[in-house]
Amino acid sequence: MAEYILARGNGRHIPHEDKIFGISNRAKAMIAEKGADKVINATIGSLLDDNGNLVVLSSVDEVFKHLSPAEYADYAPIGGIKPFREAVQQAAFGSHRPKGYVEAVATPGGTGSLRNVIANYSDGGDQVLTSDWHWAPYNTIAGEIGRSIATFEFFTENGKFNIDSFQKKSAELLAKQESLVIILNTPAHNPTGYSLTLEDWDHVIAVLQEEAKCGKAIALVIDAAYIDFAGDEEEYRRFLPKLEALPENVLPIMAYSLSKTYTLYGTRCGAMICIAKTKEIADEFKRVCEYSSRGSWSNSAKVAQVILSRIYGEPGLLERVDKERAHYREMLIKRGRAFEEEAKKVGLKIVPFDAGFFISIPCSDPDAISAKLEKEGVFIVPLAKGLRVSVASISEDKCRKLPAIIKAAMEE
Ligand SMILES: Cc1ncc(COP(=O)(O)O)c(C=O)c1O
């Protein structure tokens, strides 16, 4: 089968299938044929329990089941219902709310936020900057609206955040375009599990203070899709007040998602939240993003907006949700540690990992190795620079077994 389909309307080459969903479908087919115990499906980006069932927070589920029809079926205003716009700021910032003019606009998941930022804070033909290890859909989202992705090297040879590469690439792009969108996916980055340290953040801020002297508009997107699975929720929000030191022409925007944090993946709910230096910039952000939403998906689904508003509006409920999530986060962190430990034992090199849904293994021929592993019933995702293992979707036991299997496939 050809790898691409030619879109008749405009001659675009569209991949035959979404890579990750394609592999996952093959894994499911093998499970149906040979049984779950013969297969390790480490491709899925949702949190599964040790039996392979989707984890849905029961506290969230309870709220869902008590909604009235109007609460789940009605249209929401384009930018989101008022209580949601307030609750989502609390959810995103916790007790580390940065000072500034904040506006939140509802979006269909974090994906909607990313799409809207790129559409409104970059120009047609521009390049959007992110790290070389990154979530592949960034390319699709940018490409769909006539932009593309440029990358800086995420890590130095010693496994530290590569601030020099970040600076060089930012300067290079600012020299040739009138504006720049930068996406930093942290904490618990997909696909590596890396979280920028507070020191990394100091360096990022210093670089942007310097680069912004050119006067051009920079949008700094913090893709926080995994922020509540990195470790202690408050600890991983401590970087937020640092954003206050950015100059007026750098606009920090958090792309916040309810998909993982509230296990509401399919309800398509998130928000783009700006922290602006002036009211004028914040007002413009709100109007421009709402306008853009209207012309792409219109309004976002109401159901999860109501759920989040309820969680933040009912005493005790938020505590229950946080407690339940903490239990699953612990499960996830244990899986990550188990993989890391075994990788160390068998000498399998991994990309710097802190926490989160994924771990990455650098290698030179990811497609060949993953094809080889598929034959053995091990399904992982080949990326440009290595292999991605979803520890979110396999048990701790399987996390312990996997490093030796991958190492053997790499050495064959
Ligand atoms: C890095 C990253 N950013 C953003 C998202 C957005 O997710 P959603 O649109 O489901 O909220 C995801 C989801 O997998 C992701 O991995």
Side-chain angles (χ1 to χ4, degrees):
M1 203 199 303
E3 248 182 274
Y4 290 94
I5 289 177
L6 186 67
R8 281 164 204 262
N10 55 18
R12 285 204 302 164
H13 288 77
I14 308 294
H16 230 283
E17 61 178 5
D18 181 277
K19 202 171 199 173
I20 300 180
F21 284 107
I23 302 170
S24 188
N25 287 340
R26 292 199 290 280
K28 283 177 191 155
M30 195 184 274
I31 289 173
E33 192 196 332
K34 298 189 173 165
D37 56 324
K38 300 282 186 303
V39 175
I40 298 181
N41 182 7
T43 62
I44 300 171
S46 316
L47 186 60
L48 307 184
D49 66 17
D50 288 351
N51 300 317
N53 299 314
L54 183 73
V55 168
V56 180
L57 299 179
S58 66
S59 43
V60 174
D61 181 46
E62 254 173 58
V63 180
F64 203 121
K65 295 215 169 103
H66 287 93
L67 296 180
S68 70
E71 283 175 317
Y72 62 76
D74 201 3
Y75 284 128
I78 304 286
I81 58 172
K82 196 160 178 282
F84 170 77
R85 296 169 84 131
E86 277 154 24
V88 79
Q89 294 176 30
Q90 291 179 48
F93 300 147
S95 64
H96 296 282
R97 186 186 174 92
K99 288 189 201 81
Y101 293 86
V102 173
E103 284 291 349
V105 174
T107 54
T111 304
S113 311
L114 295 162
R115 187 263 169 214
N116 255 1
V117 180
I118 296 173
N120 293 295
Y121 290 88
S122 69
D123 211 346
D126 275 359
Q127 290 202 291
V128 170
L129 183 61
T130 194
S131 46
D132 49 1
W133 291 93
H134 62 260
W135 189 46
Y138 289 160
N139 298 278
T140 320
I141 298 167
E144 277 294 294
I145 43 179
R147 279 76 162 165
S148 60
I149 295 289
T151 60
F152 65 93
E153 281 174 34
F154 205 4
F155 301 108
T156 62
E157 277 183 10
N158 303 331
K160 303 282 181 221
F161 179 72
N162 194 336
I163 191 65
D164 292 339
S165 180
F166 176 76
Q167 184 277 328
K168 219 170 125 213
K169 269 293 180 183
S170 305
E172 199 180 299
L173 291 174
L174 280 165
K176 60 181 185 192
Q177 13 186 101
E178 288 313 304
S179 54
L180 178 63
V181 171
I182 301 172
I183 305 173
L184 292 179
N185 172 211
T186 184
H189 173 263
N190 175 6
T192 66
Y194 186 74
S195 302
L196 263 71
T197 62
L198 291 175
E199 205 187 351
D200 293 337
W201 270 110
D202 288 337
H203 295 149
V204 167
I205 304 284
V207 163
L208 293 179
Q209 282 169 333
E210 197 51 38
E211 297 305 326
K213 287 183 181 158
C214 66
K216 294 181 178 176
I218 302 174
L220 173 64
V221 185
I222 299 120
D223 178 354
Y226 298 92
I227 193 164
D228 292 308
F229 285 95
D232 180 79
E233 282 115 337
E234 287 298 318
E235 180 63 27
Y236 279 91
R237 283 169 167 80
R238 280 178 58 206
F239 71 93
L240 285 164
K242 291 183 182 291
L243 301 171
E244 292 165 14
L246 288 167
E248 190 176 315
N249 59 327
V250 181
L251 182 62
I253 300 170
M254 192 190 261
Y256 186 76
S257 166
L258 273 66
S259 302
K260 277 87 184 167
T261 293
Y262 294 94
T263 63
L264 284 167
Y265 310 87
T267 61
R268 311 307 302 134
C269 189
M272 53 198 310
I273 310 172
C274 78
I275 306 137
K277 275 274 178 297
T278 68
K279 184 170 181 315
E280 196 192 346
I281 296 172
D283 288 347
E284 176 207 308
F285 167 89
K286 179 169 173 281
R287 181 60 198 132
V288 165
C289 295
E290 287 185 357
Y291 182 85
S292 205
S293 299
R294 182 61 165 149
S296 39
W297 47 76
S298 190
N299 40 25
S300 300
K302 187 175 179 187
V303 60
Q305 295 181 34
V306 176
I307 294 172
L308 192 79
S309 310
R310 186 85 26 104
I311 289 171
Y312 276 82
E314 255 179 46
L317 186 53
L318 176 62
E319 212 174 303
R320 276 181 57 210
V321 172
D322 283 348
K323 206 167 154 202
E324 206 182 348
R325 186 190 314 107
H327 164 77
Y328 287 110
R329 181 171 57 231
E330 207 40 51
M331 173 186 88
L332 181 67
I333 287 173
K334 276 193 192 149
R335 290 178 184 174
R337 295 281 164 264
F339 189 99
E340 228 186 342
E341 265 172 43
E342 294 303 319
K344 203 167 181 187
K345 274 190 209 158
V346 301
L348 178 74
K349 189 173 177 225
I350 64 172
V351 181
F353 167 83
D354 291 299
F357 280 38
F358 307 104
I359 290 183
S360 288
I361 298 127
C363 67
S364 54
D365 198 354
D367 286 305
I369 294 165
S370 84
K372 208 186 290 176
L373 286 166
E374 272 197 26
K375 292 200 186 103
E376 296 172 34
V378 172
F379 293 81
I380 56 182
V381 177
L383 307 167
K385 298 188 64 165
L387 302 161
R388 185 189 85 169
V389 173
S390 162
V391 293
S393 66
I394 56 173
S395 65
E396 187 179 332
D397 190 37
K398 287 181 175 171
C399 284
R400 286 206 178 276
K401 288 186 185 139
L402 211 41
I405 300 174
I406 297 172
K407 172 90 175 157
M410 285 168 78
E411 282 173 351
E412 266 169 28

